[in-house]
Amino acid sequence: MFLNRYIGILPLIFILSGCETTPEQPAPKTIIKANPVVNQQSKAIEQIAPLNPKELDDVWQRIRAQLSFTNSSHPAVQQRIAWYLSHPNYMDEISRRATPYLYHIVTEIEKRDLPIELALMPLIESDFDASAYSHKHASGLWQLTPSIAKYFKVKISPWYDGRQDVIDSTRAALDFMEYLYKRFDSDWYHAIAAYNLGEGRVLRAIKNNKRQGKPTDFFSLKLPKQTSQYVPKLLAAAQLLKSQKMAFPAIANKNTIAVIPVSGAVIIDNKEKWQQLESLNYGVIRFPAVIDAPHIVVLADEQIEFKAMLANQKSNDYSQWQHYTIQSGDSLSVIAKRHAITVNQLKAFNNLKSNRIRAGKKLILPILADQEIEHKVKSGESLWKIAKYYKVSINKLKQWNNLSSDHLKIGKKLTVFLSNS
């Protein structure tokens, strides 16, 4: 059963829209002959017998047991099947990246009674790379744009980007898919296409076909190349999983992560511990300060240890942070504006319950002492060279500076944050 809460969604925010399941044309024989990999390894993908309980030890098999979309013989799907089969190691990397996230995603989809095929969307969107950025400013596993993310109440600030958090982004992506499903009259192919392209453009394609007396199923629509291949990519992956014509390296069908709520500001000053968490918390932008994040994600078998660490925040070492002595006439708003932070962040970092401050007292600023660097891009420099010089990742450079591509203009100023340790 699907929610009615997004009927009145703002049209200016959503340029996205979906797809329609109608009978498809069989693949011409010439297409099959042009793809010997399909000929030899993926002839007719057949319905498989029900799985036994032991196979459900693997979360991929848990997905496989619930696949419901009809197999497609459309050339675009068959060509993508051929591509997957000609890259047999591709799923090894996908499974490695998906391991911390897939159980959570599948569980959330099942809770909403949505098609299990949606669990494969991060494979198509980001190759299950939670730190991924696109040239259209989309980010994270689900490649949410800033406008979509904010509409569905995903926090984005200089300190936290919930699009790169599996909990926040999965909730928002599924909220969005539920809206699109209702918007496109319960047609999942149209909804999935709209997620990729934009609601308005898919609606226009459907309207154009209706006006010309043409079918309005997904495969009959005139759509940009990226979107015309988007749904086939998803269908091809689902059919290969269903038929077991390609290996999907097993992922344990159990929850491996835990969510620990964060109240206010947190400093994780143990770099070794943070390195264990960083790949689960790409949304936390400025290590070691955890500010604006509603939670951190940890490994399930270490949650007790991390809960204890967060409970003992008062004993943290604040020596590496900037300190500010309050001057006569200062206010929290003035200090916050001067240092490009919010009053709430300043209060959280100093455990202040009110806006009252006194001259002579010291405040701790959530800015690393002597570690915020401004780098001016020179001729011949690239993100790779700059990241290597400062010993930081390219993804972090892009995240700190809100960059959506690897292209840099000479003279552009980049902010770099470095840890003292």
Side-chain angles (χ1 to χ4, degrees):
M1 186 155 77
F2 305 107
L3 306 179
N4 292 317
R5 44 190 168 159
Y6 304 118
I7 296 292
I9 202 162
L10 297 178
L12 291 178
I13 290 181
F14 297 131
I15 4 170
L16 294 122
S17 280
C19 164
E20 178 177 46
T21 51
T22 57
E24 303 159 358
Q25 299 176 359
K29 293 181 180 179
T30 52
I31 294 294
I32 299 300
K33 288 179 181 177
N35 290 290
V37 179
V38 174
N39 253 348
Q40 296 166 17
Q41 302 180 49
S42 179
K43 294 178 181 175
I45 296 183
E46 302 170 352
Q47 185 67 39
I48 310 300
L51 301 171
N52 63 55
K54 289 184 179 179
E55 288 177 301
L56 298 182
D57 290 342
D58 173 10
V59 73
W60 286 121
Q61 297 303 320
R62 176 177 168 187
I63 294 172
R64 176 174 170 258
Q66 302 176 74
L67 292 169
S68 60
F69 287 0
T70 303
N71 289 341
S72 173
S73 59
H74 192 278
V77 178
Q78 294 301 310
Q79 287 168 3
R80 190 62 187 182
I81 287 174
W83 186 93
Y84 284 132
L85 291 172
S86 65
H87 295 78
N89 297 325
Y90 173 72
M91 289 302 173
D92 293 343
E93 180 64 14
I94 291 299
S95 281
R96 184 188 69 78
R97 292 179 182 177
T99 293
Y101 312 119
L102 194 55
Y103 180 93
H104 172 78
I105 291 169
V106 169
T107 300
E108 292 304 304
I109 289 171
E110 290 173 345
K111 284 179 182 176
R112 298 173 184 237
D113 196 24
L114 299 173
I116 204 66
E117 281 84 355
L118 300 187
L120 301 176
M121 284 182 63
L123 187 159
I124 312 303
E125 284 288 344
S126 64
D127 288 334
F128 274 101
D129 180 0
S131 65
Y133 269 90
S134 81
H135 68 284
K136 294 182 179 179
H137 301 282
S139 181
L141 289 170
W142 296 91
Q143 289 291 282
L144 296 170
T145 62
S147 58
I148 296 296
K150 288 178 180 178
Y151 188 88
F152 288 106
K153 297 180 171 46
V154 174
K155 184 178 289 186
I156 301 176
S157 81
W159 300 89
Y160 177 74
D161 187 342
R163 296 176 299 163
Q164 295 191 337
D165 174 83
V166 64
I167 309 300
D168 285 350
S169 66
T170 299
R171 175 193 54 75
L174 297 183
D175 284 350
F176 189 29
M177 286 306 305
E178 288 182 336
Y179 161 76
L180 291 172
Y181 178 72
K182 294 183 80 69
R183 183 71 180 87
F184 286 92
D185 300 324
S186 304
D187 188 311
W188 279 115
Y189 287 10
H190 280 170
I192 293 168
Y195 186 97
N196 174 255
L197 177 62
E199 181 179 348
R201 294 183 70 179
V202 177
L203 283 171
R204 285 195 294 274
I206 294 171
K207 185 177 179 180
N208 288 340
N209 275 29
K210 285 182 178 178
R211 187 171 60 245
Q212 298 173 45
K214 295 180 180 179
T216 58
D217 63 281
F218 168 78
F219 290 105
S220 297
L221 298 180
K222 187 176 181 181
L223 299 169
K225 182 178 179 181
Q226 182 189 34
T227 306
S228 66
Q229 294 177 348
Y230 186 83
V231 173
K233 285 179 181 179
L234 184 68
L235 296 178
Q239 288 178 212
L240 283 171
L241 178 57
K242 184 189 293 186
S243 67
Q244 300 192 112
K245 297 286 185 181
M246 183 176 186
F248 284 67
I251 298 175
N253 189 22
K254 64 178 182 179
N255 192 18
T256 58
I257 59 174
V259 178
I260 300 179
V262 172
S263 177
V266 168
I267 299 175
I268 300 178
D269 53 9
N270 185 322
K271 189 171 185 180
E272 184 179 347
K273 286 294 182 188
W274 177 251
Q275 286 174 339
Q276 298 175 27
L277 296 181
E278 191 166 17
S279 63
L280 296 174
N281 295 276
Y282 286 119
V284 176
I285 296 175
R286 300 183 187 178
F287 163 79
V290 182
I291 299 176
D292 287 346
H295 53 253
I296 59 172
V297 179
V298 303
L299 295 174
D301 57 3
E302 295 183 354
Q303 60 180 309
I304 295 176
E305 179 182 355
F306 280 105
K307 281 180 179 178
M309 182 187 297
L310 297 185
N312 294 323
Q313 279 302 297
K314 291 182 180 178
S315 63
N316 275 328
D317 176 14
Y318 286 86
S319 61
Q320 64 178 314
W321 298 88
Q322 286 190 24
H323 291 243
Y324 177 79
T325 301
I326 300 170
Q327 307 296 316
S328 178
D330 272 343
S331 67
L332 286 181
S333 60
V334 168
I335 298 169
K337 185 176 181 180
R338 189 181 300 150
H339 295 279
I341 57 177
T342 69
V343 171
N344 285 337
Q345 290 166 354
L346 190 56
K347 289 173 70 175
F349 218 67
N350 289 273
N351 293 315
L352 298 177
K353 305 301 182 187
S354 73
N355 291 337
R356 291 183 180 181
I357 54 175
R358 215 166 40 174
K361 293 289 184 180
K362 290 194 174 186
L363 293 175
I364 301 163
L365 303 178
I367 303 168
L368 286 172
D370 302 320
Q371 294 296 310
E372 183 175 340
I373 297 171
E374 186 180 87
H375 179 93
K376 192 173 183 179
V377 178
K378 305 178 186 66
S379 178
E381 285 189 325
S382 64
L383 279 178
W384 181 83
K385 287 183 178 179
I386 297 169
K388 185 178 180 182
Y389 178 79
Y390 289 109
K391 298 180 180 178
V392 297
S393 71
I394 292 175
N395 279 331
K396 282 297 180 187
L397 273 181
K398 293 171 77 171
Q399 198 174 34
W400 292 331
N401 294 278
N402 195 27
L403 300 176
S404 58
S405 76
D406 292 341
H407 179 71
L408 292 176
K409 290 184 178 179
I410 297 173
K412 181 176 178 60
K413 293 179 181 179
L414 299 177
T415 301
V416 182
F417 293 92
L418 300 179
S419 171
N420 286 332
S421 51

